[in-house]
Amino acid sequence: MPRPEMTKHRGFPGRLPGTDFQFVLRRSHKDGATKLVARERYADRRPADRRADEGFMAALWAHFGDAPFERGNLDAGRLSWLFEREVVPAEDPFDPEDYQALLRIDETLARQNFPGAFNGEDGF
């Protein structure tokens, strides 16, 4: 059985520089895309996890800006920390288990929650 189609976002950083926080997948999963779910971000999250969220948002903004984008090879786990808050569905109906699903950045909320992602502090 062939693997599902998955857009590879060329030029998108593979991980947060200097860490093992992954941003993209190398290949699609044979059973299809992992479901996107909104993960709760508690106030006591580690600083490294918070930096990874902000770095990922900075990379999303630098690569896509305010335009809708395909989920493609973006890591589902990393996206889920932002999903249904700073990153929202850009189509209705939305399939959270589809590599071709369209997303967009809620710029207002993203700027409020991750101001450093928009002022070039993260190097993306």
Side-chain angles (χ1 to χ4, degrees):
M1 181 170 149
R3 289 183 179 272
E5 286 289 318
M6 177 181 75
T7 298
K8 290 192 176 186
H9 298 294
R10 304 284 181 213
F12 197 89
R15 62 187 63 248
L16 182 65
T19 73
D20 286 331
F21 288 107
Q22 180 175 313
F23 287 175
V24 296
L25 309 173
R26 290 174 38 189
R27 67 185 72 80
S28 62
H29 190 277
K30 63 180 175 65
D31 296 329
T34 300
K35 184 177 183 176
L36 294 178
V37 294
R39 291 185 176 174
E40 188 66 36
R41 290 194 312 249
Y42 295 102
D44 64 349
R45 285 184 76 210
R46 297 178 334 184
D49 293 322
R50 292 177 189 205
R51 280 193 308 276
D53 291 343
E54 188 159 47
F56 187 60
M57 176 52 63
L60 289 172
W61 184 253
H63 203 79
F64 304 113
D66 61 0
F69 57 93
E70 212 173 282
R71 172 188 175 172
N73 69 329
L74 299 175
D75 183 71
R78 186 58 45 207
L79 269 173
S80 289
W81 288 111
L82 307 178
F83 186 61
E84 293 186 357
R85 285 179 297 270
E86 297 85 7
V87 175
V88 295
E91 60 187 355
D92 188 25
F94 177 79
D95 183 355
E97 296 182 75
D98 184 3
Y99 287 121
Q100 281 79 38
L102 292 178
L103 300 162
R104 69 173 180 78
I105 296 171
D106 179 333
E107 184 179 352
T108 303
L109 189 58
R111 283 183 182 276
Q112 176 184 335
N113 292 341
F114 301 111
F118 295 89
N119 61 18
E121 289 178 9
D122 289 296
F124 297 106

